[in-house]
Amino acid sequence: MHRSIANAVTAAAGRAAVTATAVIVVVGLSGAGARADTLIVDAACTPPVGCDCNEIQPCIDMASAGDTVLVATGAYTTQETREIDIGGPVTFTANVFMRDQVHLMAGPGDPLPLIDAGGTGVCIVADQVGAGTILDGFQIQNGNANGSGFNSVGGGMLCLASDLTIRSNTFTS
């Protein structure tokens, strides 16, 4: 009887070792062609239940190249200040700082998500983002370009040395 238990334990241990080896092989192979993720933003939810973020910028900051940040209907008004090097440091206040190769897209539903700067700062800044970067399906309003120097341009959107796709957006003052 003890011998059969020992054989069963040995067989189970052998299967576990094979399973562990298979997992290691799968994980080792997945890094080379990693699949893009979709991060969900919803102003009406409390992460992580039902969404990844309830503001846009944290999800953009979590995203990697090729990922999609899908934004639910709602008003997004949170702004932050970041320094961008334009031949020297320049400080911008904006609702959204785009990330290279990330797709920022409106989710299904009506009305379109609203990015509103409230008259204080730029709505969206795209600094040195490439052709795989997308901004699609937003209402963008109340950007302010009444500052001085670089802060006097780009109220709705400021693009610096960028080549991104901008489609199906509405810009209003």
Side-chain angles (χ1 to χ4, degrees):
M1 185 162 181
H2 292 285
R3 177 170 247 160
S4 342
I5 293 172
N7 288 341
V9 168
T10 302
R15 283 193 299 273
V18 170
T19 302
T21 302
V23 169
I24 290 168
V25 170
V26 169
V27 170
L29 293 175
S30 68
R35 183 177 61 85
D37 286 326
T38 298
L39 300 165
I40 306 296
V41 179
D42 187 341
C45 90
T46 303
V49 179
C51 67
D52 297 292
C53 307
N54 56 13
E55 291 294 339
I56 296 170
Q57 194 63 52
C59 270
I60 290 175
D61 293 343
M62 289 186 328
S64 299
D67 287 352
T68 297
V69 175
L70 195 63
V71 182
T73 287
Y76 299 89
T77 59
T78 300
Q79 294 181 312
E80 61 181 69
T81 300
R82 292 191 180 185
E83 195 171 87
I84 297 175
D85 188 0
I86 307 171
V90 177
T91 302
F92 289 97
T93 298
N95 298 71
V96 173
F97 291 87
M98 297 293 291
R99 188 166 187 169
D100 191 33
Q101 308 296 309
V102 171
H103 310 158
L104 181 59
M105 304 178 79
D110 201 31
L112 296 175
L114 171 66
I115 298 172
D116 188 340
T120 59
V122 177
C123 292
I124 301 169
V125 174
D127 177 38
Q128 300 181 37
V129 297
T133 309
I134 299 170
L135 174 66
D136 185 6
F138 292 87
Q139 299 175 71
I140 300 161
Q141 72 180 25
N142 295 325
N144 185 340
N146 294 329
S148 60
F150 277 103
N151 285 303
S152 66
V153 295
M157 183 166 190
L158 178 61
C159 295
L160 301 164
S162 295
D163 180 20
L164 70 155
T165 300
I166 302 169
R167 65 177 173 234
S168 303
N169 299 288
T170 303
F171 291 82
T172 58
S173 55

